[in-house]
């Protein structure tokens, strides 16, 4: 496989970028809402989620393909850990949202 | 269909996690794996949209002095968002495993529920608006 005409890696990277930006936007909105309420505890929780979202948004380091002598067609890096991180960030944001609607 | 890891040439040991997915079947076309990844990410953004709707609704409700019912709807939206985030991850696992075992892809069971939930939330909000503006 020389060059994928469907630009699959690029599309996947852009999909991650959209998701990361969306997570950061929602986290920022939740933090702003918490500040507006003056709920210090919720502000802290929102800031923690914001940090988590930032970690998820940053792309992982590329594996050293040349150093380990992989063929160019080796399978893509498993996305599971990053996917779970994004889910944890989303669930934590949901918890902040529930806190906001209860206070 | 064996439970052994795929033996693909020079690749020494497949240590990728989760083993409950990568420990079975054969490597699918990488393009299909990446499509599966993007599908999971689309579900994740749907989950984020629910959470964003919940946070936005409770904020607007507070500023505009709407009833506490809107806070209940907002909390429900946030909980649904958290559930959808789990659905995104579990769905990725199910589809990746099905592709590795060359089985048919699982049916999108959550999709009709998602549509129904969005419709219910929209109707509740529309009903509230109709009562308020009468």
């Amino acid at each position: 496989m020389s060059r994928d005409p469907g630009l699959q890696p690029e599309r996947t990277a852009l999909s991650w970028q959209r998701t990361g930006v969306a997570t950061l936007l929602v986290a920022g909105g939740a933090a702003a809402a918490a500040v507006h309420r003056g709920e210090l505890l919720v502000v802290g929780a929102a800031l923690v989620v914001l940090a988590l979202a930032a970690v998820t948004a940053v792309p992982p380091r590329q594996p050293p393909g040349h150093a380990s002598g992989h063929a160019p067609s080796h399978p893509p890096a498993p996305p599971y850990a990053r996917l779970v991180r994004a889910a944890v960030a989303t669930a934590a944001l949901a918890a902040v949202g529930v806190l906001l609607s209860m206070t | 269909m064996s439970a052994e890891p795929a033996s693909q040439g020079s690749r020494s040991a497949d240590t990728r996690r989760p083993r409950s997915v990568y420990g079975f079947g054969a490597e699918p076309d990488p393009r299909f794996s990446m499509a599966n990844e993007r599908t999971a990410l689309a579900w994740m953004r749907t989950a984020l949209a629910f959470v964003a709707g919940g946070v936005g609704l409770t904020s607007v409700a507070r500023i505009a002095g709407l009833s506490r019912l809107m806070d209940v709807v907002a909390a429900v939206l946030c909980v649904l968002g958290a559930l959808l985030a789990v659905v995104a991850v579990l769905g990725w696992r199910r589809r990746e495993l099905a592709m590795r075992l060359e089985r048919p892809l699982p049916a999108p069971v959550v999709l009709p529920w998602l549509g129904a939930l969005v419709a219910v939330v929209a109707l509740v909000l529309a009903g509230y608006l109709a009562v308020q503006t009468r």
Side-chain angles (χ1 to χ4, degrees):
Chain A
M1 196 190 305
S2 56
R3 189 81 182 92
D4 173 21
L7 293 173
Q8 299 283 334
E10 288 83 352
R11 285 160 66 186
T12 309
L14 285 170
S15 188
W16 270 109
Q17 198 178 64
R18 284 197 295 279
T19 310
V21 168
T23 314
L24 281 173
L25 278 178
V26 179
V35 168
H36 183 76
R37 299 276 178 89
E39 296 279 350
L40 274 183
L41 196 77
V42 185
V43 172
L47 287 179
V48 168
V49 178
L50 196 60
L52 192 63
V55 169
T56 308
V58 171
R61 267 177 299 167
Q62 290 297 314
H66 294 290
S68 56
H70 275 301
S73 63
H74 78 100
Y80 190 67
R82 202 179 176 197
L83 212 53
V84 168
R85 233 180 300 142
V88 168
T90 306
L93 264 178
V96 169
V98 171
L99 277 177
L100 276 176
S101 56
M102 285 195 318
T103 52
Chain B
M1 190 178 302
S2 71
E4 289 301 306
S7 54
Q8 294 241 325
S10 62
R11 197 146 44 80
S12 49
D14 191 346
T15 57
R16 294 174 297 169
R17 289 187 300 161
R19 296 311 302 156
S20 58
V21 171
Y22 291 112
F24 298 95
E27 198 65 27
D29 189 323
R31 289 174 294 180
F32 299 160
S33 288
M34 281 189 268
N36 185 21
E37 190 176 336
R38 291 196 298 275
T39 305
L41 288 173
W43 276 107
M44 198 65 79
R45 288 193 297 275
T46 308
L48 280 168
F50 270 72
V51 176
V55 170
L57 184 60
T58 183
S59 298
V60 169
R62 240 19 104 73
I63 292 167
L66 304 181
S67 99
R68 291 291 286 185
L69 172 70
M70 290 300 102
D71 284 323
V72 175
V73 175
V76 167
L77 279 173
C78 288
V79 171
L80 287 176
L83 287 177
L84 276 180
V86 176
V87 164
V89 175
L90 293 184
W92 178 87
R93 290 177 67 130
R94 288 198 311 155
R95 288 186 299 269
E96 194 71 18
L97 187 61
M99 288 195 295
R100 295 187 71 86
L101 298 176
E102 293 182 15
R103 286 179 187 160
L105 288 180
V109 188
V110 184
L111 205 51
W113 285 100
L114 178 66
L117 284 170
V118 172
V120 166
V121 171
L123 285 175
V124 168
L125 291 180
Y128 177 80
L129 275 178
V131 169
Q132 284 296 302
T133 54
R134 192 143 47 130

